[in-house]
């Protein structure tokens, strides 16, 4: 008799591995989707981030009809950089955001790189009075236009795109456009290699070269320029921001700025020759720009909270990328000259729950944990009087094993951030563990305003004259706060700590 064939065993041998693989994939998918959106590990709770996938530069910042519009570089199909679209969100207070559908998608001219948006009140372009007009770069380094007549909800590409060829190679991109009232024309500042170029237009479509400008840090390619007026002591000065792709103070990407005058065609720099001023001395504030038409006459800035050195490698899962806090900019006089200062927008105070207030704490040669303070989303206001300690500061996102240190070094006259560069998944490739800003106290109190989120720390020192922005991938449940002084003591004259609510309390 022939041997009986056990078909069940043959079936298992043939298809068993496939079944195991399918079950594994289903299990992995279930694990990834079991955590609600905006509650994933390291997900920012009061900084803007898209519901999923990749984001980088903020784009098209404009206020219209009661809404702040935030467009941004977006790759909707992966968590690493890819074919760029414009994502879109709106807010009435710059704190709580409503996600909207993608605004601009790639077309026959290319993918959609960075740019700006304006409200064409007088219909100079012919798209309709009060049309919202986006001016942006294609990946080919040509420039395009799109417009919306329904408050940015739907968009039409201009039939004559591109409106400008690639006038500089290989880099000619990121136009910032605004209406210059004094000269009665539209002005564009655009990055062209290692300089900024200015163009003028009567109608947003036909542009004439006006001038170029280069100074400061010209080692790396310039990107995402912005120019705007600010008043100081009854005088109007103009501030020019320029992002640089490499060799910034903390390594990798950063933003320099210039203070001077602008007549609608030419920028004149007041910075002394050889002076380079930096908007932020942290590693993670790049490609930032400001809102056009801010209703209160303020200049509000927001940046990409990342660094191109490691942007594709940060340990996030379903999304990758976030923005800095929106910041109000102002000019202040210092012993070194006029400088730019920054403050978090006041509307963030709506998120506060007080955790405590302390005065005259003495920290002596050891670490002192602040009892009753625990949280992954904190706002900290501290005034610290230095004395005999060699180094001193505080630790946030603290546990016995880990944390992020904010350190003042009298010997170096520097304010520093020390962060871990390894998670349970291993080292973060090219993630710089420490960096700092020059800061002479000269006997003054160190005034700190610190914002701690799930994966970032933003430090505003000396009323925002010095800022440090950093991603910090300290894993939960590390959530404490402590102060320390090395070989000496300090006095914490005043301390306030608040827990900050999530802006994503309702499911997206």
């Amino acid at each position: 008799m022939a041997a009986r064939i056990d078909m069940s065993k043959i079936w298992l041998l043939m298809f068993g591995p496939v079944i195991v693989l399918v079950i594994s994939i289903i299990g992995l998918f279930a694990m990834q989707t079991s955590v609600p959106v905006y509650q994933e590990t390291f997900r920012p709770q009061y900084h803007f981030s898209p519901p999923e996938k990749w984001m980088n530069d903020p784009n098209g910042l404009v206020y219209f009809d009661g809404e702040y519009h935030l467009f941004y570089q977006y790759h909707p199909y992966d968590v690493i950089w890819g074919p760029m679209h414009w994502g879109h969100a709106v807010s009435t207070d710059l704190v709580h955001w409503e996600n909207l559908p993608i605004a601009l998608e790639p077309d026959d001219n290319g993918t959609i790189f960075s740019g700006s948006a304006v409200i064409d009140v007088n219909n100079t372009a012919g798209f309709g009075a009060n049309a919202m007009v986006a001016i942006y770069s294609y990946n080919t380094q040509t420039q395009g236009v799109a417009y919306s007549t329904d408050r940015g909800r739907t968009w039409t590409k201009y039939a004559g795109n591109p409106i400008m060829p690639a006038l500089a190679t290989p880099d000619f991109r990121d136009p910032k456009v605004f209406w210059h009232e004094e000269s009665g024309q539209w002005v564009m500042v655009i990055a062209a290699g290692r300089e900024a170029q200015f163009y003028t237009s009567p109608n947003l479509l036909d542009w004439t070269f006006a001038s170029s400008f280069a100074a400061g840090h010209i080692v790396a390619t310039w990107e995402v320029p912005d120019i705007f007026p600010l008043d100081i002591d009854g005088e109007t000065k103009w501030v020019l921001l320029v992002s640089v792709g490499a060799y910034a103070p903390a390594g990798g990407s950063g933003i320099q700025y210039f203070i001077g005058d602008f007549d609608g065609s030419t920028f004149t720099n007041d910075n002394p020759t050889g002076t380079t001023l930096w908007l932020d001395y942290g590693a993670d504030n790049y490609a930032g720009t400001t809102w056009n038409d801010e209703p209160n006459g303020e200049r509000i800035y927001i940046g990409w909270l990342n660094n191109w050195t490691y942007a594709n490698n940060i340990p996030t899962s379903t999304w990758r990328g976030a923005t800095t806090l929106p910041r109000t900019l102002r000019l202040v006089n210092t012993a070194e000259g006029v400088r730019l200062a920054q403050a978090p927008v006041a509307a963030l105070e709506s998120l506060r729950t007080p955790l405590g207030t302390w005065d005259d704490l003495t920290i002596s040669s050891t670490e002192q944990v602040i009892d009753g303070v625990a949280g992954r989303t904190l706002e900290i206001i501290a005034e610290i009087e230095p004395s005999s300690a060699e180094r001193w500061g505080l630790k946030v996102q603290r546990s016995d094993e880990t944390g992020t240190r904010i350190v003042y070094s009298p010997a170096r006259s520097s304010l520093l951030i020390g962060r871990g560069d390894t998670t349970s998944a291993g080292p973060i490739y090219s993630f710089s563990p420490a960096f700092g800003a020059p800061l002479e106290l000269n006997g003054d109190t160190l005034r700190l305003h610190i914002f701690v989120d799930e994966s970032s720390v933003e430090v505003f020192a000396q009323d925002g004259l010095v800022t440090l922005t950093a991603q910090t991938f300290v894993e939960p449940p590390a959530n404490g706060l402590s102060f320390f002084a090395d070989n000496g003591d300090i006095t914490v004259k005043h301390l306030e700590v608040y827990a900050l609510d999530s802006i994503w309390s309702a499911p997206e």
Side-chain angles (χ1 to χ4, degrees), residues 391-409:
R391 295 194 319 160
W392 42 271
L394 60 159
K395 182 188 285 189
V396 297
Q397 300 168 326
R398 182 200 175 277
S399 70
D400 290 340
E401 296 78 26
T402 188
T404 299
R405 288 164 60 92
I406 301 161
V407 183
Y408 186 75
S409 170

Side-chain angles (χ1 to χ4, degrees), residues 99-292:
N99 289 301
L100 295 178
I102 290 172
L104 300 179
E105 299 183 351
D107 57 44
D108 292 342
N109 290 301
T111 59
I112 312 297
F113 274 16
S114 290
S116 52
V118 299
I119 305 302
D120 191 6
V121 176
N122 296 317
N123 194 24
T124 63
F127 302 139
N130 291 313
M132 186 179 295
V133 182
I135 306 94
Y136 56 88
S137 298
Y138 285 106
N139 64 304
T140 57
Q141 314 299 298
T142 60
Q143 315 310 313
V145 162
Y147 63 93
S148 171
T149 56
D150 60 357
R151 299 168 55 241
R153 269 51 179 186
T154 60
W155 289 84
T156 302
K157 303 279 183 60
Y158 176 55
N161 281 342
I163 60 166
M164 294 176 70
L167 297 177
T169 55
D171 302 299
F172 183 67
R173 59 179 179 268
D174 311 336
K176 178 61 183 281
V177 174
F178 65 98
W179 179 258
H180 187 256
E181 189 66 39
E182 292 77 8
S183 61
Q185 61 187 345
W186 296 104
V187 172
M188 172 194 293
V189 59
I190 190 169
R194 289 173 172 82
E195 68 178 20
Q197 294 183 355
F198 294 90
Y199 293 79
T200 61
S201 172
N203 59 9
L204 294 170
L205 302 174
D206 303 298
W207 293 91
T208 301
F209 176 78
S211 66
S212 61
F213 172 80
H217 182 91
I218 56 173
V219 179
T221 299
W222 286 17
E223 297 184 297
V224 196
D226 190 5
I227 187 170
F228 48 85
L230 286 174
D231 291 339
I232 181 170
D233 297 335
E235 180 183 11
T236 298
K237 304 300 292 184
W238 285 77
V239 179
L240 174 64
L241 304 182
V242 178
S243 292
V244 291
Y247 309 113
S253 314
I255 302 176
Q256 63 175 331
Y257 72 91
F258 307 89
I259 299 172
D261 297 300
F262 184 69
D263 62 5
S265 298
T266 303
F267 176 76
T268 304
N269 182 24
D270 289 350
N271 295 7
T273 301
T275 300
T276 302
L277 304 179
W278 295 99
L279 182 79
D280 198 304
Y281 283 86
D284 294 300
N285 185 355
Y286 189 63
T289 188
T290 63
W291 265 273
N292 282 333

Side-chain angles (χ1 to χ4, degrees), residues 183-504:
S183 61
Q185 61 187 345
W186 296 104
V187 172
M188 172 194 293
V189 59
I190 190 169
R194 289 173 172 82
E195 68 178 20
Q197 294 183 355
F198 294 90
Y199 293 79
T200 61
S201 172
N203 59 9
L204 294 170
L205 302 174
D206 303 298
W207 293 91
T208 301
F209 176 78
S211 66
S212 61
F213 172 80
H217 182 91
I218 56 173
V219 179
T221 299
W222 286 17
E223 297 184 297
V224 196
D226 190 5
I227 187 170
F228 48 85
L230 286 174
D231 291 339
I232 181 170
D233 297 335
E235 180 183 11
T236 298
K237 304 300 292 184
W238 285 77
V239 179
L240 174 64
L241 304 182
V242 178
S243 292
V244 291
Y247 309 113
S253 314
I255 302 176
Q256 63 175 331
Y257 72 91
F258 307 89
I259 299 172
D261 297 300
F262 184 69
D263 62 5
S265 298
T266 303
F267 176 76
T268 304
N269 182 24
D270 289 350
N271 295 7
T273 301
T275 300
T276 302
L277 304 179
W278 295 99
L279 182 79
D280 198 304
Y281 283 86
D284 294 300
N285 185 355
Y286 189 63
T289 188
T290 63
W291 265 273
N292 282 333
D293 303 327
E294 205 284 328
N296 302 308
E298 295 182 318
R299 185 55 56 168
I300 308 295
Y301 165 94
I302 199 168
W304 179 40
L305 211 164
N306 216 330
N307 189 309
W308 276 120
T309 304
Y310 44 75
N312 285 291
N313 305 318
I314 60 174
T316 60
S317 55
T318 57
W319 91 101
R320 189 163 287 155
T323 65
T324 69
L325 293 176
R327 306 172 179 192
T328 303
L329 305 181
R330 70 187 190 281
L331 292 177
V332 296
N333 288 305
T334 73
E336 292 75 32
V338 179
R339 294 293 185 265
L340 194 63
Q342 306 168 62
V345 293
L348 287 161
E349 294 179 8
S350 67
L351 304 178
R352 286 176 169 177
T353 298
L355 295 183
T357 301
W358 298 261
D359 290 300
D360 297 320
L361 295 175
T362 299
I363 312 299
S364 299
S365 298
T366 186
E367 181 183 15
Q368 181 172 326
V369 176
I370 305 301
D371 293 331
V373 173
R376 299 276 296 179
T377 57
L378 299 176
E379 179 185 359
I380 302 163
I381 299 171
E383 297 178 14
I384 307 173
E385 285 189 353
S387 55
S388 60
E390 294 178 1
R391 295 194 319 160
W392 42 271
L394 60 159
K395 182 188 285 189
V396 297
Q397 300 168 326
R398 182 200 175 277
S399 70
D400 290 340
E401 296 78 26
T402 188
T404 299
R405 288 164 60 92
I406 301 161
V407 183
Y408 186 75
S409 170
R412 299 171 60 178
S413 296
S414 296
L415 181 66
L416 309 157
I417 286 182
R419 61 181 182 180
D421 59 355
T422 301
T423 69
S424 60
I428 306 170
Y429 179 72
S430 297
F431 200 68
S432 48
F435 38 80
L439 178 56
E440 289 274 3
L441 287 183
N442 296 320
D444 195 9
T445 298
L446 178 63
R447 300 181 299 280
L448 298 175
H449 196 174
I450 301 167
F451 289 82
V452 181
D453 207 340
E454 286 286 347
S455 55
S456 66
V457 171
E458 292 181 66
V459 179
F460 301 82
Q462 307 311 84
D463 307 313
L465 192 60
V466 173
T467 61
L468 287 159
T469 303
Q471 293 183 97
T472 55
F473 296 103
V474 179
E475 298 195 34
N479 64 358
L481 170 66
S482 65
F483 285 80
F484 62 88
D486 294 344
N487 299 320
D489 61 80
I490 58 170
T491 299
V492 180
K493 291 295 295 179
H494 183 70
L495 174 65
E496 300 172 31
V497 184
Y498 302 89
L500 297 184
D501 295 337
S502 174
I503 62 173
W504 308 115

